[in-house]
Amino acid sequence: MTEHTLTVAGVTVDTRHWIGGRRVASAETFTDVSPIDGSTIGEISRGTALEAAAAVAAAKAAFPVWAATSRAERARILHAVADGVEKRIEDLSIVETTDNGALLRSHRRGVMPRVAHNFRFFADWLLKLEHEDFETRGHTNHVSWDPAGPSVLITPWNAPLMLATWKVAPALAAGNTVVLKPAEWSPLTASLLADIAAEAGLPAGVLNVVQGYGSEIGDALTSHPDVRRISFTGSVPTARRIAESAAGNLTPLSLELGGKSPLLVFADADLDLAVDLAVEQYDNAGQVCLAATRFLVEESVAEEFTRRFVEKAATLTQGDPRHETTDIGPNIHPRQLEKIDAFVQRALAAGARAVIGGHRKDTQYYAPTLLTDVAQDSEIVQEEVFGPVLTLQTFSTEEEAVRLANDTRFGLAATLATADAERAERVTAQLVAGTVWVNCFFVRDLQAPFGGSRHSGVGREGGTWSFDFYCDLKNTVIAPNGWKSHG
C-alpha cells in the first residue's frame, strides 16, 4: 500500500482521480467507511472545481478522435473492457461489498456479470443500430446517430458499478467521452473500472473518473458549457439542482429518480408467489429504487397474505453480507440509518402498527419492517424511505386498487399479482409507471426502455433509447438524380 493506494481484502485500489489517462491527486481527501462494521476503508481524493474542469477538458480533447473511431473499433474496445471485468469479478465483488454492504454472493453471481453484459450489449447494439431509409416525394431520408460530446454521468451508491456502467457503456458506444462522478459513499469500483478500461485500450481522456462530494464538484460539472449530456440517478432534490445548473447551457438531461412503487395483490393471485414477490422487496436492505414498498392487498386475502409474509420474512438472515447465508446486509451509512428510523418512528407516532420490525438492530442494520394502519396521505406512504421498510394497505375493488397505486407523486415501477389475464391487461394499462411487472419482479432486459414518470424521472434509456439520448439524431434528405457524373 502506498500513499495513494489502499488494500481491500487483498485488492489494491488507487484512491486518486483518473483524468486524461493518468492518476491525479487532490490536496484534500474524504474518508470512505465500510457499512459492514463502520470501519474506515481509507482516504479518497476529494475533488474540487479544479479537478472537475480538468476532467471535462480531458473529455473534450479526446472527443474528436473517439467520435471518429469506427463503430467496429469502439465495439471491439468495449468488449475488451467486458473481458477485463470478467477477469476481475472476484476483486470487484469483494471491493464493492466492503464499500457499499450489498451481498457478496449477489455481486459474484449477478451484479458483476451484469456489469460485463452492459458493455457487451451496447457494443453489439451499436453495430446493428440503424433506421430504414424512407422516401418523401422521391427524396431519400437517412437517419443517423452522431456522437453528442462530453457526457457527465453521476451515479448512486446502492449498486455503484452496475448503475455506473449502465450509463458509461452506451455513452462510450455512442462515441461520447465521459466524466464519471461516483457516489462518495461507494467510490472504489469506479476507480477499478478506470484501470480495467485503460488496460482494454480505451484511449486517454475517453473515460475520466472524478471523486468527491456532489455539493462541492457537482455544479462545476453540470454547468460546464462543454458538457453536452448529463445522466443522473439519485434523489429528486438533487435532480432539481442539476436541472437548474444545466439550464444555462440547455444541456440535455436523463434523470432516473426515486420511487414509491406499489405491489398489487388481488384475491385470485397465487398467494405463495405474491408473498415471495413481497419478501423480495427487502433485497439490498431495501435500497432499491424500483422496490415495491407499498403493498396493496385485496381485503378478502389480506389477513392470510400477512400471515404468510410474516412467516416468510422470519426465515431471512440479516448480517454480514460477506457470508453466503446472509439475505439482508447493512444500510449504507449511519446517516441513512438515522433517516430510515426517523421515518418509521414518525409513522408509529402517527398511529401506524409494526407487524414486524420497526426499530434499529444496531448502528449499521435496520430490522426488516412492515407497517400497517397507515393513511394514504401519510408521509410513510407518500415518501421514499430507501430502507427495509414496507407498508400494507387494503382495497376492496379494482378501481380502488388502481387509485391507491397511482396516488403518489412518483411513477417508477409497479408489480401486479393476479391469475386473471384480462384484469392484468386492464390494470397495467391504467398504472402510472415506467416498468410494470406481472407475477414477477426485477426482470430486466437492456433492450427495453427504462425510466420513470412524474417525479420518478425524465427520459428513457436502454437499447436504441440510450443512443437517442447520448447522440444527436440527424436526418439527411437526398434529392433524386442530383449527382454529377465523374465519368
Side-chain angles (χ1 to χ4, degrees), residues 275 278-279 282 295 303-316 353-357 370 372 392:
V275 167
V279 172
Y282 288 132
F295 299 165
E303 184 176 347
E304 179 64 13
F305 171 88
T306 304
R307 184 187 67 78
R308 295 192 198 184
F309 175 86
V310 170
E311 288 181 355
K312 183 79 172 181
T315 68
L316 298 175
R353 180 173 67 90
V355 178
I356 60 172
L370 176 65
T372 60
L392 188 150

Side-chain angles (χ1 to χ4, degrees), residues 68 90-92 94 110 130 183 213 221 231 240 290 296 309 475:
E90 184 62 24
D91 290 350
L92 293 166
I94 190 61
E130 63 179 353
Y213 295 108
L221 291 172
S231 182
R240 288 196 181 101
L290 292 161
L296 304 176
F309 175 86
N475 186 45

Side-chain angles (χ1 to χ4, degrees), residues 247-267:
N249 300 310
L250 296 178
T251 308
L253 297 167
S254 177
L255 304 174
E256 198 268 280
L257 309 178
K260 196 69 180 176
S261 302
L263 166 60
L264 293 82
V265 179
F266 287 90

Side-chain angles (χ1 to χ4, degrees), residues 117-439:
H117 178 63
N118 284 346
F119 285 103
R120 296 199 193 284
F121 173 88
F122 286 106
D124 292 342
W125 200 267
L126 169 66
L127 296 180
K128 64 182 181 181
L129 182 68
E130 63 179 353
H131 189 293
E132 185 177 349
D133 289 351
F134 56 98
E135 299 294 318
T136 304
R137 298 190 298 277
H139 295 65
T140 299
N141 291 264
H142 177 73
V143 176
S144 57
W145 286 260
D146 293 350
S151 302
V152 167
L153 312 178
I154 303 173
T155 56
W157 45 258
N158 58 321
L161 193 58
M162 193 274 284
L163 292 177
T165 55
W166 159 251
K167 301 175 187 294
V168 170
L172 295 181
N176 292 358
T177 51
V178 165
V179 178
L180 171 62
K181 193 280 178 193
E184 58 268 24
W185 284 352
S186 56
L188 299 184
T189 48
S191 181
L192 292 177
L193 177 65
D195 295 335
I196 292 169
E199 292 167 5
L202 191 69
V206 175
L207 172 65
N208 306 274
V209 179
V210 181
Q211 303 151 157
Y213 295 108
S215 59
E216 296 177 350
I217 61 174
D219 186 67
L221 291 172
T222 56
S223 67
H224 200 294
D226 291 332
V227 171
R228 293 315 312 141
R229 292 293 186 273
I230 299 169
S231 182
F232 168 74
T233 298
S235 71
V236 172
T238 301
R240 288 196 181 101
R241 291 194 293 271
I242 290 172
E244 291 171 358
S245 181
N249 300 310
L250 296 178
T251 308
L253 297 167
S254 177
L255 304 174
E256 198 268 280
L257 309 178
K260 196 69 180 176
S261 302
L263 166 60
L264 293 82
V265 179
F266 287 90
D268 60 19
D270 178 335
L271 277 193
D272 286 334
L273 170 64
V275 167
D276 286 345
L277 295 174
V279 172
E280 193 175 349
Q281 308 312 313
Y282 288 132
D283 183 49
N284 202 22
Q287 298 167 144
V288 178
C289 60
L290 292 161
T293 57
R294 295 185 297 131
F295 299 165
L296 304 176
V297 185
E298 193 161 355
E299 287 177 352
S300 61
V301 295
E303 184 176 347
E304 179 64 13
F305 171 88
T306 304
R307 184 187 67 78
R308 295 192 198 184
F309 175 86
V310 170
E311 288 181 355
K312 183 79 172 181
T315 68
L316 298 175
T317 299
Q318 186 170 28
D320 192 321
R322 295 167 294 191
H323 296 165
E324 184 71 15
T325 56
T326 298
D327 300 302
I328 304 176
N331 289 98
I332 183 73
H333 194 278
R335 197 186 315 163
Q336 183 67 14
L337 203 72
E338 291 172 7
K339 176 183 174 184
I340 294 166
D341 192 50
F343 267 112
V344 172
Q345 299 312 315
R346 287 193 296 268
L348 293 174
R353 180 173 67 90
V355 178
I356 60 172
H359 57 84
R360 305 184 194 201
K361 296 187 73 172
D362 54 32
T363 57
Q364 306 300 133
Y365 296 80
Y366 203 86
T369 296
L370 176 65
L371 301 177
T372 60
D373 301 335
V374 291
Q376 179 62 23
D377 62 355
S378 64
E379 178 192 53
I380 198 68
V381 169
Q382 293 292 325
E383 298 299 325
E384 185 177 46
V385 178
F386 222 62
V389 177
L390 312 171
T391 62
L392 188 150
Q393 299 165 270
T394 61
F395 64 85
S396 58
T397 66
E398 187 176 298
E399 292 73 22
E400 183 184 13
V402 171
R403 178 181 61 78
L404 292 173
N406 288 337
D407 187 21
T408 74
R409 62 193 173 106
F410 296 104
L412 186 56
T415 303
L416 174 65
T418 180
D420 187 332
E422 292 182 357
R423 167 178 281 148
E425 184 176 357
R426 286 194 307 271
V427 172
T428 56
Q430 299 175 72
L431 294 175
V432 179
T435 300
V436 180
W437 287 287
V438 180
N439 295 325

